[in-house]
Structures are given as C-alpha cells and as structure tokens.
Amino acid sequence: VGLNHVGFRLTNIATSTVITDAAVAQAPLMTMMDGTSHACPFTSPVGPAGPDGIFEAKLVLQMASTTSDTWADAVTLTPAGGSEHVITLENLAVAETGARKMLTVGPTTWLFTLNWDGDAYGVGSNPFTLTAHTRASMMSWPPADDLTIRVFPWMPDMSHGSDGNVDPVLTVDGEYVGSANFSMDGDWTVTFDVSQGTTEL
C-alpha cells in the first residue's frame, strides 16, 4: 500500500532480444469480495524504455490484497510496427504498510500516502514522498497538484518537535517531496497541514 515504482521489460523470445520501442499501458483493478471493483492512481510508461530495457511506471495502491479482495493489472503492449497484446497480471500480493490516509472534505474524497525513501527512517533527516489524489470516481483518481503542505514531527513522550524539517513541494503527478528530522530515538507522530488555496483541508 502506497507509492510503488514498477517496471516492464519486453523480450522477443524468438530472437532473445529486449524490445525497447513499444507502447505500454497498464490498468490496475481491485475486485472486491462483493463483486464491486475499483482502480487506483497510476501512471503508464511514457516514451521508449530506459537503457536497461525497462519501461517505468507507478502505482499508488490504497488497499492491501486479501484472499477475497484481489488486485490485477491489465497491461497492453504494442511493439513498434507490431500488433497489440494484452496480458493480465493476476492476484498481485499487496501488503499493508499503514502508508494510506483518506480524508473527506465536503463532496471531495482525498487519498494521501506517506512513503519514506528506501522504506526506512531513523534519527536525522528522513526524505519522504507524500502522494495526493482525489477520487473522481471509483475508476479515476486524478493527482492533486495545487496543494500547500507543511510537515510537523512531534515526540509525544518528550513533548517536543524538531528543527530542520523540509515542507514537501510538488515534483510531478501529485507527488510532494520533503523530509522529516527526528532528533532522537523513540516514537514520533508526523502531522501534515494541507491547504488548497486559502482552504485548509
């Protein structure tokens, strides 16, 4: 659950060569136990593959998979000069991370995820990416690129915060990059103040 960097590599089996010129699109979908389904925020690869032959994309998954609630990703592949193929990667194992927060303000539902660089944090400066999306429908989650966000780490046991924090700023597609400074060992709470224009969310 949270921001996931994914990659696709295409290989021509007949010639054992990696295909670097192709159109690649993905369509993630969770099917729930009650038969309903929903998508998640995602990007598809843009342009040719990188030097390692990988087409890079992202998934912002908002729920863990279970035996009855399952994620799949339908991937459409069209090699240059070739025909379109669709493969579906089924039963993707998505682990719970605690990275997700949902927020409803008026008619709008917001999806935020907090993702530490390297999935680890400790004493000192800890870079993170906060993702922000709204729910247009169960199948559409557009990025929120117009937010002002401040970060406030707080240590409840010691009743103090910390200096040296960097408020997250937008980089691309609803991704805001900043850092939280934990000045000592122990349990910390990280609070984000999020505003859209003059409205505090």
Side-chain angles (χ1 to χ4, degrees):
V1 172
L3 175 63
N4 298 270
H5 295 265
V6 298
F8 304 94
R9 179 184 281 118
L10 313 181
T11 303
N12 184 324
I13 296 176
T15 61
S16 297
T17 57
V18 175
I19 299 171
T20 58
D21 188 6
V24 181
Q26 63 174 340
L29 186 72
M30 169 170 264
T31 301
M32 308 287 286
M33 179 174 58
D34 61 5
T36 61
S37 58
H38 63 79
C40 68
F42 69 94
T43 64
S44 288
V46 177
D52 54 2
I54 294 178
F55 294 84
E56 297 181 350
K58 298 173 186 175
L59 294 169
V60 181
L61 297 163
Q62 72 272 53
M63 291 181 64
S65 56
T66 68
T67 55
S68 55
D69 302 326
T70 58
W71 282 102
D73 196 6
V75 184
T76 303
L77 314 168
T78 311
S83 57
E84 178 182 285
H85 302 272
V86 179
I87 62 169
T88 300
L89 308 172
E90 298 181 343
N91 296 318
L92 300 178
V94 178
E96 184 55 69
T97 62
R100 180 203 76 170
K101 293 291 182 182
M102 303 291 288
L103 176 67
T104 300
V105 180
T108 304
T109 297
W110 298 80
L111 167 65
F112 296 93
T113 70
L114 175 59
N115 310 273
W116 302 100
D117 284 9
D119 296 323
Y121 45 86
V123 173
S125 179
N126 295 269
F128 62 81
T129 300
L130 186 78
T131 68
H133 296 80
T134 58
R135 184 176 66 193
S137 72
M138 294 303 286
M139 297 299 171
S140 177
W141 299 77
D145 291 341
D146 57 349
L147 303 179
T148 300
I149 306 175
R150 300 185 66 196
V151 59
F152 298 96
W154 181 256
M155 195 173 197
D157 291 346
M158 303 296 289
S159 297
H160 67 72
S162 63
D163 297 323
N165 303 293
V166 178
D167 291 332
V169 296
L170 179 70
T171 54
V172 64
D173 294 328
E175 296 180 23
Y176 295 77
V177 172
S179 66
N181 184 45
F182 302 134
S183 54
M184 59 186 298
D185 289 336
D187 293 332
W188 288 80
T189 297
V190 182
T191 299
F192 295 93
D193 284 354
V194 183
S195 298
Q196 186 180 42
T198 59
T199 302
E200 184 174 349
L201 304 178

